Amino acid sequence: MSSADPLTVTVTFAGCGDAFGSGGRLQACIHLRADGAPPVLLDCGATSLTALKRCDLDPGEVSAVVVSHLHGDHFGGLPFLVLDGQFAGRAEPLTVIGPPGTAARLHAAMECLFPGSSTARRRFAVQVRELAPGATVHAAGVQAAAWAADHPSGAPALCLRLAVAGKVIGYTGDTAWTGSLIQVAAEADLLIAEAYYRDKNC
Ligand SMILES: [Zn+2]
């Protein structure tokens, strides 16, 4: 491949189900891999470690997780991902990009599920970057821009627009219709749209 060739971003839907296991599907976990770069996860639902391993995707390679909102089916897999890295001897840092409140909720989730795990000594750092609606974060090779979603989750919920290796990926997360989705989707290479009900809000 010449340097002029565009990079490819491979998107694997390791999980795309709801919180309730409908159809036997696993929860939100979208794996983005650009040529020659460590992969990034878009959301990390509670079942994500299983989802990745079923797809033969190495959780230890994931450099960043971008979280749309703080419901368990979108961020509840993070404690398992962190502990898997700890027990597998991971050395590379893990960046978590999520809405305001992510650091506190991740700490609480780790202490609830595995007491003492939030302060355990690890060979790698877990860096949390909080991303408010209207803001943009650059970290771990990904640029994430956020808009407010219409979806109560105890913290601002986000619709996201990621730039990875020159490709733009829009992600609705869980949201009722909001005009922000037009900006999230505008001229994106890919729009990932979650859908649950057509006729009622949830
Ligand atoms: Zn949700």
Side-chain angles (χ1 to χ4, degrees), residues 16-18 20-27 47:
C16 61
D18 60 20
F20 314 111
S22 298
R25 287 182 294 140
L26 300 173
Q27 298 169 6
T47 55

Side-chain angles (χ1 to χ4, degrees), residues 100-158:
T102 295
R105 291 278 289 275
L106 176 56
H107 183 276
M110 294 195 69
E111 283 305 308
C112 176
L113 295 172
F114 302 101
S117 65
S118 68
T119 54
R121 288 172 60 89
R122 287 185 287 269
R123 294 176 60 203
F124 67 100
V126 178
Q127 300 161 338
V128 177
R129 299 283 304 274
E130 297 195 347
L131 174 62
T136 299
V137 160
H138 299 256
V142 62
Q143 173 184 302
W147 284 260
D150 180 1
H151 186 62
S153 59
L158 306 177

Side-chain angles (χ1 to χ4, degrees), residues 12-16 26-31 48 51-52 55 57:
T12 304
F13 289 82
C16 61
L26 300 173
Q27 298 169 6
C29 180
I30 302 161
H31 184 275
S48 293
L52 293 170
C55 295
L57 298 168

Side-chain angles (χ1 to χ4, degrees), residues 69 71 73-74 151-153 174:
H69 66 290
H71 276 158
D73 55 324
H74 290 258
H151 186 62
S153 59
D174 288 352

